[in-house]
Amino acid sequence: MTDIAAMLNTYPGKPSPLAEDALVLCLQECLNCTQVCVACADACLADPDRAALANCASMALDCADLCGVTMRVVSRQTAFDPVLLRAVLTACVEACRACYEECRRHALDHEHCRICADACHRCSHACRELLASVG
Amino acid sequence: MTDIAAMLNTYPGKPSPLAEDALVLCLQECLNCTQVCVACADACLADPDRAALANCASMALDCADLCGVTMRVVSRQTAFDPVLLRAVLTACVEACRACYEECRRHALDHEHCRICADACHRCSHACRELLASVG
Amino acid sequence: MTDIAAMLNTYPGKPSPLAEDALVLCLQECLNCTQVCVACADACLADPDRAALANCASMALDCADLCGVTMRVVSRQTAFDPVLLRAVLTACVEACRACYEECRRHALDHEHCRICADACHRCSHACRELLASVG
Amino acid sequence: MTDIAAMLNTYPGKPSPLAEDALVLCLQECLNCTQVCVACADACLADPDRAALANCASMALDCADLCGVTMRVVSRQTAFDPVLLRAVLTACVEACRACYEECRRHALDHEHCRICADACHRCSHACRELLASVG
């Protein structure tokens, strides 16, 4: 459980025009995906199959970074800039897409890649839902 | 819900000697606290009372950064270095302590500070439990 | 002085098709801009004029995060994905643009905003040059 | 060239009691080391010798994260907390030490590790100099 929804309701400024449900889900999935990607990259390093997983580790590191920064930008409502928000969410969608494509190739053989592909897929979906709400 | 525990069980290398329950709780609280602190700093900026909340915003930014990086280091098991792990957890405990001390001073007047103080308190506790397990 | 260019030459894999000069400059400006934005947001918090600078602080925090993550993605050559790279650079350009627009409004009165606007302008330019090289 | 020193002089609040030279050098080395470590981890992934470099990549990722967050905390002067600052600098020193120890083992065979070991050594030194100035 997280305090994401509770914190949203305490914001003392003008609330952003974003749909609250989409906002909460996006933040939740970004938080989860950033941790899963850090752990998947680490598992790729430790895996005997690491030669085949080098691209996967690198993609997961990119995705961890994008999900983390998207969580931060989406959490901030004070300087709401829809053009920036769209660009950040789009970059996060691409990072999740790239990591998902690589991870699912290894999903049958490596459970860490299966979980990571799933987390990326959900995060990408949540970012696209929020994008639709930015207008 | 997060995939933290599921990912831990997929690690293909030698597992770290840390207690799994403490590890999962620490990661969960770090994830939550980093988001709450980003949102609290943003709420402080938007608050009409922002002059009194400047220190609080700054502490929350430090705490967001420390919780985020602690989540990353704790998630990695491949290069397990107990001296580094202890130092990182100790820094996170101090960041949570500093942010908690500042936030609780404003907790009665500002709900975002009350939630943030609570998140910092729980995160600090979880980091100290994991520290005890590092030995 | 940094080791950016020296590190690029040590990469043992297939080098990315990016122009090396544009790559080095982008990394250098992202590093500088992330630090300047963190410091500018902190200066905004401490400034007696902080009510007028709240949006500026928030924009600078977004920009610091985007420049930092762009530096990381651009530094990685192993999982080269041009679609992701373009999206990340585009998001960084937007963050620099938004922070520049806000900072330059305060540049005459606040030297930290003048320096930050300048750093954002240079970083945005370096990202756009690298974008041109991605093709 | 960076704007670190110029930004320090624009801080509108009460300046921290830290020695300015040590502060500037610490920020400069943290910026450099975070980029070098990201690039070294990526080079380890792409290296045919990647099995021997797995620990090195993992250490470099930890060190990149610690140097990045130390740069952020040290850049903020508004909520000066010497206990937190000492803990963060100590954690950064340990991350640089751990990465240095691993990288120097590979320095003769891998130029990316040689440069990274050197960057970690300089960053650790700069953090310890600043620690001495915190008192």
Side-chain angles (χ1 to χ4, degrees):
Chain A
M1 296 300 302
T2 66
D3 296 315
I4 293 170
M7 278 304 283
L8 268 183
N9 290 324
T10 69
Y11 184 68
K14 185 165 164 265
S16 81
L18 303 174
E20 189 177 316
D21 284 359
L23 201 53
V24 172
L25 190 62
C26 178
L27 290 168
Q28 181 67 44
E29 295 295 350
C30 280
L31 279 180
N32 183 61
C33 201
T34 195
Q35 195 275 330
V36 168
C37 284
V38 168
C40 186
D42 186 61
C44 289
L45 284 173
D47 206 293
D49 205 15
R50 64 175 67 83
L53 294 169
N55 275 1
C56 194
S58 187
M59 281 302 180
L61 292 173
D62 279 356
C63 193
D65 290 345
L66 262 298
C67 290
V69 86
T70 300
M71 179 279 285
R72 285 168 166 256
V73 172
V74 170
S75 293
R76 291 186 192 111
Q77 305 188 66
T78 298
F80 184 72
D81 184 302
V83 178
L84 171 57
L85 187 58
R86 267 195 296 267
V88 172
L89 287 167
T90 300
C92 195
V93 166
E94 291 302 335
C96 289
R97 185 263 315 150
C99 190
Y100 168 78
E101 285 177 359
E102 187 65 33
C103 272
R104 74 171 173 184
R105 295 179 51 219
H106 310 285
L108 281 177
D109 296 325
H110 301 285
E111 181 71 358
H112 53 84
C113 287
R114 190 194 62 76
I115 297 173
C116 191
D118 196 41
C120 289
H121 192 265
R122 294 201 315 272
C123 188
S124 165
H125 185 73
C127 288
R128 275 184 274 118
E129 289 289 305
L130 188 59
L131 261 174
S133 146
V134 180
Chain B
M1 295 303 301
T2 66
D3 295 314
I4 294 171
M7 279 303 282
L8 268 183
N9 290 324
T10 69
Y11 184 67
K14 184 165 163 265
S16 80
L18 302 175
E20 188 176 317
D21 284 0
L23 202 54
V24 172
L25 190 63
C26 178
L27 290 169
Q28 181 68 44
E29 294 295 350
C30 280
L31 280 181
N32 183 61
C33 201
T34 197
Q35 196 275 330
V36 168
C37 284
V38 169
C40 185
D42 186 62
C44 289
L45 283 173
D47 205 293
D49 205 15
R50 63 175 66 83
L53 294 170
N55 275 0
C56 195
S58 187
M59 280 302 179
L61 292 172
D62 280 355
C63 193
D65 290 344
L66 262 298
C67 291
V69 86
T70 300
M71 178 279 286
R72 285 168 167 258
V73 173
V74 170
S75 293
R76 290 186 193 113
Q77 305 188 67
T78 298
F80 184 71
D81 183 304
V83 178
L84 170 57
L85 186 59
R86 267 196 296 268
V88 173
L89 287 168
T90 300
C92 195
V93 166
E94 291 302 334
C96 288
R97 186 263 315 152
C99 190
Y100 167 78
E101 284 177 1
E102 187 65 33
C103 272
R104 75 171 173 183
R105 295 179 50 218
H106 310 286
L108 281 176
D109 296 325
H110 300 286
E111 181 70 359
H112 52 83
C113 288
R114 190 193 64 73
I115 296 172
C116 191
D118 197 40
C120 290
H121 191 266
R122 292 200 317 271
C123 189
S124 164
H125 185 72
C127 288
R128 275 184 275 116
E129 290 288 306
L130 188 58
L131 261 174
S133 145
V134 181
Chain C
M1 296 301 301
T2 65
D3 295 315
I4 294 170
M7 279 304 283
L8 268 183
N9 291 325
T10 69
Y11 184 68
K14 183 165 163 264
S16 80
L18 303 174
E20 188 176 318
D21 284 0
L23 201 54
V24 172
L25 190 63
C26 178
L27 290 169
Q28 181 68 44
E29 294 296 350
C30 280
L31 279 180
N32 183 60
C33 201
T34 197
Q35 196 276 329
V36 168
C37 284
V38 169
C40 186
D42 187 62
C44 289
L45 284 173
D47 205 293
D49 205 15
R50 63 174 68 83
L53 295 169
N55 275 1
C56 194
S58 187
M59 281 302 180
L61 291 173
D62 279 355
C63 194
D65 290 345
L66 261 299
C67 291
V69 86
T70 301
M71 178 278 286
R72 285 167 167 258
V73 173
V74 170
S75 294
R76 291 188 192 110
Q77 305 187 66
T78 298
F80 185 73
D81 184 302
V83 178
L84 170 57
L85 186 58
R86 268 196 295 268
V88 172
L89 287 167
T90 300
C92 195
V93 166
E94 290 302 335
C96 289
R97 184 264 315 150
C99 189
Y100 168 77
E101 284 177 1
E102 187 65 32
C103 271
R104 74 172 173 184
R105 295 178 50 219
H106 311 284
L108 281 176
D109 296 324
H110 301 286
E111 182 70 358
H112 52 84
C113 288
R114 189 194 63 74
I115 296 173
C116 190
D118 196 41
C120 289
H121 192 266
R122 293 202 315 272
C123 189
S124 164
H125 185 72
C127 288
R128 275 184 275 116
E129 290 288 305
L130 188 58
L131 262 173
S133 145
V134 181
Chain D
M1 295 302 302
T2 66
D3 295 315
I4 293 172
M7 279 303 283
L8 268 183
N9 291 324
T10 69
Y11 185 67
K14 183 166 164 265
S16 80
L18 303 174
E20 189 176 317
D21 283 1
L23 202 54
V24 172
L25 190 63
C26 178
L27 289 168
Q28 182 67 44
E29 295 295 350
C30 280
L31 280 180
N32 183 61
C33 200
T34 197
Q35 195 276 329
V36 168
C37 284
V38 169
C40 185
D42 186 61
C44 289
L45 284 173
D47 206 292
D49 205 14
R50 62 175 67 83
L53 294 170
N55 276 0
C56 194
S58 187
M59 282 300 180
L61 292 173
D62 279 356
C63 193
D65 290 345
L66 261 298
C67 290
V69 86
T70 300
M71 179 280 285
R72 286 168 166 256
V73 173
V74 170
S75 293
R76 291 186 192 111
Q77 305 188 65
T78 297
F80 183 72
D81 183 303
V83 178
L84 171 57
L85 187 58
R86 267 195 297 266
V88 173
L89 287 167
T90 300
C92 195
V93 166
E94 291 302 335
C96 289
R97 185 263 315 152
C99 190
Y100 168 77
E101 285 177 1
E102 187 65 32
C103 271
R104 74 172 172 180
R105 295 177 50 218
H106 311 284
L108 281 176
D109 295 325
H110 301 287
E111 180 71 359
H112 52 84
C113 288
R114 190 194 63 74
I115 296 173
C116 190
D118 196 40
C120 290
H121 192 265
R122 293 201 317 270
C123 189
S124 165
H125 185 73
C127 288
R128 276 185 272 116
E129 290 288 306
L130 189 58
L131 261 174
S133 145
V134 181

